[in-house]
Amino acid sequence: APDGTNGVVFNSAQARAVHWDEAGGRVYFTDGSNNIKSADTNGGDVRTLVAGSDAGFLVGDIVVDRVNGKIIWSDISGGRLR
């Protein structure tokens, strides 16, 4: 299990939510523009998955449902799950 000694720094100012998918080898996070992104566990291969600033919501937290292939997040501006 990871012990934090080989930490990875992601260039994501103002990240509010982070989810580490160990089995999938990816980290999911938000950035200062409220986008939901993912990256491999080395900090590379960064992908924007949801453009939050364009969709009009504010991400509070992220959960990855690997069984159903979905990302679920809380919208704290609208009080709902997406």
Side-chain angles (χ1 to χ4, degrees), residues 3 7-11 18 20 34 36 38 42 45 49 53 63 65 68 74 76:
D3 63 6
V8 174
V9 176
F10 292 92
N11 187 10
V18 177
W20 177 41
N34 204 39
I36 298 175
S38 74
N42 292 321
D45 189 28
L49 306 173
S53 57
V63 175
D65 176 355
N68 295 301
S74 60
I76 59 177

Side-chain angles (χ1 to χ4, degrees), residues 3-65:
D3 63 6
T5 57
N6 294 317
V8 174
V9 176
F10 292 92
N11 187 10
S12 180
Q14 303 173 5
R16 279 186 304 281
V18 177
H19 177 88
W20 177 41
D21 178 10
E22 182 176 11
R26 304 223 27 109
V27 176
Y28 296 81
F29 58 97
T30 59
D31 66 10
S33 296
N34 204 39
N35 298 307
I36 298 175
K37 296 185 173 189
S38 74
D40 63 29
T41 56
N42 292 321
D45 189 28
V46 178
R47 303 174 190 170
T48 299
L49 306 173
V50 178
S53 57
D54 296 337
F57 55 80
L58 184 61
V59 177
D61 202 3
I62 303 170
V63 175
V64 175
D65 176 355

